[in-house]
Amino acid sequence: MILCGEICNFVNVTLILLNMTNIANAQNPFFEKYTTPYGTVPFDKIKNEHYEPAIREGISRQAAEIDAIVNNPEAPTFANTILAYEKSGELLDRVTTVFGNLRSAETNDDLQKIAQEMIPLLSEHSNNISLNQELFERIKVVYGQKDSIELTPEQTKLLENAYNGFIRRGANLQGEAKEKYRELTKNLSKLTLDFSENNLKETNNYQLTLTDEAQLAGLPESAIEAAAETAREKGVNGWVFTLHAPSYIPFMTYADNRDLRRELYMAYNTKCTHDNEYNNLEIVKKIANIHMEIAQLLGYDNYAEYTLKERMAETGDAVYKLLNQLLDAYTPTAHKEYEAVQELARTEQGDAFEVMPWDWSYYSNKLKDRQFNINEEMLRPYFELSKVKAGVFGLATKLYGITFHKNPDIPVYHKDVDAYEVLDKDGSFLAVLYTDFHPREGKRSGAWMTEFKGQWIEDTGENSRPHVSVVMNFTKPTESKPALLTYDEVETFLHEFGHALHGMFANSTYQSLSGTNVYWDFVELPSQIMENFGIEKEFLHTFANHYQTGEPLPDELISRLVDASNFNVAYACLRQVSFGLLDMAWYTRNTPFEGDVKAYERQAWAQAQILPTVSETCMSTQFSHIFAGGYSAGYYSYKWAEVLDADAFSLFKQKGIFNEEVANSFRNNILSKGGTEHPMILYKRFRGQEPTIDALLIRNGIKK
């Protein structure tokens, strides 16, 4: 029996709890309209405790929005079903975009713990939508009318994407199959998260500490200074080398001590294979098998067949055709390249010496220096980061007329990050660009472009512009020198900046069709075409000045850079082909894998291997692109896009590398179109023809 006083107390407690919830929500930045410049993310106000309530509320709101679509008594139309679905989940998208990006760029243990709880919840929510039969029935009705209702090309593409997306996410499954799909996708989301966390922790947990100066023999001053700086940061004496690229690559390239090169190489190439909590061997098997199960559940023979249905390549046969063409074209030259490096090594070490993987960079660099009298350390003084940044931004100004203006009032998520407002050639606001250049423990390795806000056009006609970010792991400044980049790092900057241009120029009606929301084997074209500018004298002369003397990069050095641009190009090509073969081997399987991951890997890419194999090493356990990223059954995309970019840049070479007409055509036909049309249609509209492998072979000197 409940007495009146108890009821009143219960009501009062409930009201207090509701008020506390409202207060908490009011203090959560995700629940408020951002009042920052251009509505940018208020990083200075966001705390870890804000993510979970915002994600849960975002899920709740989108679920209600989906229910409203499903329960709409009116007949399904493009507006009340497809467009309503496209616009659902605004809060959830806002918070998960920040959450996901910071888990890559500025993570911590608390954020990772939140991810372990929230990722399965988000997977379940996604399944609740994609497996919602009533919602799919409404989409199906609209799709069935697509030939009889008046739609723009973009609306047609949005409708097709919605319909096909639901089918590809299990909407046609019934009964136990639907529940099996739920279980598989939930497990997959957890496994990919574990894979990434293990890889990051293994990378961060290793350090090579040297206290004997003799062990530094061969290393350039820049690498020694950086290692001393890292030692100071870690509170140890001597010099510390890590598995982060700006530390690892110079050591492997210049260190005379072969035993130490081997030690560092083995540490890097055995990541996540050790008998500890970060081992990914079983996770690799589970991820590959779950992908296969999902594909077969949806009616495909294997995961590659499922994936390639939405790619330019379309079939596994087309992928293997490309990879085999490259193997045939580049393998003879790659063997000659290895023999040349081996010959040099034997002149120094004796006829019995065999170049092993930990020797390759070291002796290749020596050979390159002998043949062309050029190496990264010669170029580094001319590539001071702020000047490189000005040069890359200036390239965009020359090509497209856009300008970049640093805005300190835009909040950032780390002190190393800068924020720029980007203005179009007519002075109108185009985008926000964040730049984040240096490694740190909370950042995963590699380089990438991402968005904190996409682009779309409001119902009012207002063009809601994107907020784009480029994240890299470049050489850090030291006590005595600014950040001086290697040429490879300059190329990486150009690559990621190309992705950024794709995002910044986005001009689509719908966010899901905007910017980089294109086929995976097309998304690398805008990035890789930018790398071509890296050896162009006209471009280098705009920024490459010695950081101390101001002297421009000498033409003679540029000529040597150009001459050396195809040095070991065949080996580099086969390395990428090997990754593509490994990827396809994992995802063309139609039976579960229970074998030895390392042995399977060696067999999968054997025909593309030039260097001797080392049985203990393993790429798969750290291959985030295909086991925790968007490149599962898609790593070939880099070589596919290289064929495209070589063919596309040949037009710039014909007309002039700063030719505004060609640049505007590339912007209007490729960069601004996003996924509104099939990529081959867009490419042919720009280039006037389909691409062939010939331009790549000619550029690489394989074909005359």
Side-chain angles (χ1 to χ4, degrees), residues 327-578:
L327 277 171
D328 291 344
Y330 286 83
T331 298
T333 304
H335 281 294
K336 290 177 183 176
E337 291 170 350
Y338 176 73
E339 289 164 9
V341 173
Q342 178 90 291
E343 183 180 351
L344 170 63
R346 286 178 174 172
T347 61
E348 294 189 4
Q349 302 295 335
D351 291 343
F353 188 85
E354 182 180 23
V355 170
M356 296 297 289
W358 46 86
D359 302 314
W360 178 254
S361 295
Y362 179 75
Y363 286 106
S364 291
N365 181 66
K366 285 191 169 219
L367 181 61
K368 183 179 179 180
D369 204 3
R370 285 195 185 188
Q371 288 184 350
F372 304 103
N373 188 25
I374 194 168
N375 60 53
E376 293 283 18
E377 294 308 306
M378 287 182 185
L379 296 170
R380 195 190 286 271
Y382 298 93
F383 294 145
E384 194 269 309
L385 177 56
S386 67
K387 297 286 179 60
V388 175
K389 189 193 298 187
V392 173
F393 287 179
L395 175 59
T397 303
K398 278 183 172 290
L399 291 173
Y400 305 110
I402 63 176
T403 54
F404 300 79
H405 307 272
K406 188 174 177 179
N407 187 339
D409 294 330
I410 296 176
V412 294
Y413 56 84
H414 189 274
K415 63 181 178 60
D416 287 349
V417 179
D418 289 326
Y420 296 83
E421 51 190 50
V422 186
L423 303 184
D424 211 337
K425 56 187 173 183
D426 64 357
S428 61
F429 172 65
L430 183 69
V432 169
L433 175 67
Y434 300 92
T435 60
D436 181 357
F437 289 116
H438 301 301
R440 51 183 176 267
E441 289 203 352
K443 183 196 287 190
R444 68 174 171 87
S445 60
W448 62 96
M449 166 268 180
T450 187
E451 290 178 341
F452 286 99
K453 177 190 170 296
Q455 177 273 334
W456 65 85
I457 295 175
E458 302 279 8
D459 293 339
T460 59
E462 178 190 351
N463 198 321
S464 186
R465 300 307 303 163
H467 304 161
V468 172
S469 179
V470 288
V471 188
M472 286 157 272
N473 282 277
F474 289 163
T475 302
K476 296 167 68 174
T478 65
E479 285 187 340
S480 62
K481 287 187 178 71
L484 302 175
L485 306 190
T486 66
Y487 178 73
D488 281 348
E489 288 175 326
V490 174
E491 276 195 325
T492 298
F493 191 167
L494 286 165
H495 180 102
E496 299 307 331
F497 187 73
H499 282 310
L501 289 174
H502 202 182
M504 291 189 291
F505 283 137
N507 195 32
S508 304
T509 305
Y510 308 112
Q511 184 177 1
S512 66
L513 300 179
S514 176
T516 57
N517 290 309
V518 299
Y519 283 179
W520 275 107
D521 50 4
F522 190 62
V523 77
E524 295 299 335
L525 168 60
S527 56
Q528 291 184 189
I529 196 171
M530 293 297 288
E531 294 182 38
N532 290 274
F533 289 93
I535 59 170
E536 295 293 332
K537 184 188 297 186
E538 291 173 86
F539 170 58
L540 291 169
H541 277 326
T542 65
F543 73 94
N545 299 313
H546 196 284
Y547 79 102
Q548 289 174 315
T549 66
E551 173 197 357
L553 183 63
D555 285 351
E556 182 192 1
L557 207 51
I558 295 175
S559 295
R560 282 187 256 156
L561 177 63
V562 173
D563 291 342
S565 62
N566 280 330
F567 178 74
N568 284 350
V569 69
Y571 168 80
C573 175
L574 291 198
R575 185 171 181 270
Q576 286 295 93
V577 169
S578 74

Side-chain angles (χ1 to χ4, degrees), residues 198-206 242-244 271 445:
N198 290 344
N199 197 5
L200 177 64
K201 288 173 181 174
E202 278 276 77
T203 300
N204 286 337
N205 286 349
Y206 178 85
T242 71
L243 301 183
H244 294 286
K271 283 192 293 184
S445 60

Side-chain angles (χ1 to χ4, degrees), residues 37 101 155 167 195 221 412 538 555 562 635 699:
N101 284 336
Q155 289 173 330
I167 290 176
F195 183 99
E221 182 185 354
V412 294
E538 291 173 86
D555 285 351
V562 173
Y635 197 84
R699 184 175 74 185

Side-chain angles (χ1 to χ4, degrees), residues 631-696:
Y631 285 86
S632 307
Y635 197 84
Y636 74 92
S637 300
Y638 285 101
K639 296 310 293 184
W640 187 279
E642 203 170 337
V643 170
L644 294 177
D645 89 68
D647 186 70
F649 193 72
S650 66
L651 190 59
F652 279 94
K653 292 289 284 184
Q654 289 171 26
K655 306 276 187 168
I657 66 165
F658 298 137
N659 186 281
E660 290 185 21
E661 182 184 351
V662 177
N664 285 331
S665 176
F666 193 73
R667 172 179 178 171
N668 296 331
N669 292 311
I670 304 289
L671 298 177
S672 67
K673 292 295 185 182
T676 56
E677 294 183 77
H678 192 282
M680 189 56 79
I681 294 173
L682 299 178
Y683 185 82
K684 287 196 292 186
R685 197 174 291 152
F686 162 70
R687 188 66 180 88
Q689 62 185 42
E690 289 195 8
T692 69
I693 197 173
D694 292 346
L696 178 61

Side-chain angles (χ1 to χ4, degrees), residues 29 40 100 161 180 211 288 326 329 515 526 553 610 666:
T40 47
N161 283 3
K180 181 67 173 175
T211 54
L326 294 170
L553 183 63
I610 302 299
F666 193 73

Side-chain angles (χ1 to χ4, degrees), residues 72-139:
N72 189 333
E74 298 178 4
T77 65
F78 179 85
N80 69 23
T81 301
I82 307 302
L83 194 53
Y85 172 59
E86 167 76 6
K87 291 183 175 182
S88 70
E90 186 272 335
L91 171 60
L92 186 61
D93 179 65
R94 183 148 37 114
V95 62
T96 54
T97 296
V98 177
F99 183 60
N101 284 336
L102 292 197
R103 282 198 304 112
S104 291
E106 183 59 12
T107 194
N108 53 60
D109 289 342
D110 289 340
L111 212 58
Q112 298 296 69
K113 287 176 185 176
I114 296 168
Q116 290 287 349
E117 291 186 30
M118 292 296 102
I119 296 298
L121 194 67
L122 288 164
S123 177
E124 182 182 0
H125 172 64
S126 177
N127 282 334
N128 286 341
I129 294 174
S130 61
L131 300 176
N132 186 318
Q133 192 62 37
E134 293 172 294
L135 177 60
F136 180 56
E137 290 301 326
R138 288 185 68 92
I139 291 172

